[in-house]
Amino acid sequence: NIITMSSFHWLLAWIGLELNTLAIIPIIAKQHHPRATEATTKYFLTQAAASAMILFSSTTNAWSTGTWDISQLTDPMSCTMLTLALSMKLGLAPLHFWLPEVLQGTPMKTALIIATWQKLAPITLLYLTHNSINPIPLLIMGLLSTLTGGWGGLNQTQTRKILAFSSIAHLGWMASIITLNPNIMLLNLTIYIITTAPMFLLLKFTTSNTIKDLTTTWTTTPQTTALMMLILMSLGGLPPLTGFMPKWLILQELTTHNLTTTATIMAMSALLSLFFYLRLSYISTLTMHPTTTKTPNKWRFQPNYSTAPVTMLSIMSIFLLPMTPLLYT
């Protein structure tokens, strides 16, 4: 990631992306399980194909312009190919099919890395080339991603798949704004990571792999379920929580550029995502699962994990909205 972020030469950026992919492969394949092997294969094939396309587009651009400088991306064919390759790396619709499958075959912690950290390098390249890239394909893919992320998550029962579709929807919001105002995109990315990370960690702590598992989390720790509901609402973009900030700024920017129809469709697609966040919060927090035991709570021992990161990130994912003027100037 750092190599890609700090490079000005296309080959260095490509090497950074390759190292990034190769480093995560053994982490995904660590679980000796057929599903983990399948996830590793799918991840490797998509990332390798996207990396090859990036190398091809940068070579084509160097051939026509005579320079390997990342900021000098002027060949239209190369621009289109790079946009498609980076979309494939990120998991933007219609190149999103690998993401839910890969997340489903990995443990929560690895899924968290794939959904957050692994997105940084491709988004950095989009940020560096945002002046050269044609906004139309990105707007179309952004719209498709927000709709796919909403529709796809509706009938899922696995929490990792739901969060994968949530990730696709969030990436759609980022893709639609990057050519218009890249700073809002960076803000959106930061807030996406701040809100998604505690959600994955809470699901890991409560070992909730399916929606059914969420029904009994209140017996273990009622405070966690209340926190989970607030984080889910923040992911859905409800005011006065942090998640409302990027959606508000993006819709404002789109209407400023006379893209009112796009803004309306994206706002409507946010309702689809909100539906499955509401369903998760309803099951985990707002209803009590029938219990046959006399004691309302389970036996609890000292947790063998650090709760400080979850606490910090949860506070940030709930209370940052008043800081909007400071973060976005």
Side-chain angles (χ1 to χ4, degrees), residues 203-281:
L203 291 173
K204 180 187 176 291
F205 294 164
T206 55
T207 56
S208 304
N209 291 325
T210 61
I211 290 183
K212 196 171 74 175
D213 297 338
L214 282 171
T215 54
T216 51
T217 48
W218 67 271
T219 57
T220 316
T221 161
Q223 296 85 354
T224 301
T225 53
L227 198 59
M228 200 182 278
M229 185 181 82
L230 285 169
I231 294 168
L232 281 164
M233 293 303 96
S234 186
L235 275 167
L238 285 189
L241 304 169
T242 309
F244 176 59
M245 187 204 302
K247 287 191 168 53
W248 175 25
L249 292 172
I250 288 171
L251 291 176
Q252 187 183 324
E253 195 69 25
L254 286 170
T255 43
T256 310
H257 285 84
N258 291 327
L259 294 163
T260 323
T261 315
T262 311
T264 310
I265 297 168
M266 288 182 75
M268 297 295 274
S269 71
L271 293 174
L272 292 168
S273 302
L274 186 61
F275 179 81
F276 59 77
Y277 295 133
L278 274 169
R279 190 172 65 167
L280 284 176
S281 58

Side-chain angles (χ1 to χ4, degrees), residues 171-193:
L171 285 165
W173 284 85
M174 289 181 228
S176 61
I177 199 67
I178 190 162
T179 48
L180 307 175
N181 193 330
N183 292 334
I184 297 183
M185 187 279 302
L186 287 181
L187 179 65
N188 193 349
L189 176 66
T190 311
I191 288 168
Y192 161 70
I193 292 170

Side-chain angles (χ1 to χ4, degrees), residues 39 51-52 56-57 131 149-150 168 207 210 217 240 248 253 299 306:
S51 288
F56 186 52
S57 73
N131 287 321
I168 292 164
T207 56
T210 61
T217 48
W248 175 25
E253 195 69 25
W299 277 98
S306 170

Side-chain angles (χ1 to χ4, degrees), residues 55-126:
L55 193 60
F56 186 52
S57 73
S58 54
T59 312
T60 315
N61 185 64
W63 193 9
S64 65
T65 59
T67 176
W68 285 91
D69 194 341
I70 289 180
S71 56
Q72 302 295 318
L73 188 73
T74 48
D75 185 51
M77 177 74 173
S78 301
C79 289
T80 312
M81 257 195 302
L82 182 79
T83 310
L84 285 171
L86 291 175
S87 304
M88 193 170 174
K89 269 202 170 293
L90 288 168
L92 280 174
L95 307 163
H96 67 282
F97 294 99
W98 63 272
L99 188 59
E101 300 295 325
V102 168
L103 288 200
Q104 187 48 42
T106 59
M108 280 292 172
K109 260 189 181 171
T110 315
L112 167 62
I113 295 167
I114 295 167
T116 55
W117 183 254
Q118 293 298 100
K119 307 283 182 217
L120 295 181
I123 280 188
T124 306
L125 283 179
L126 273 176

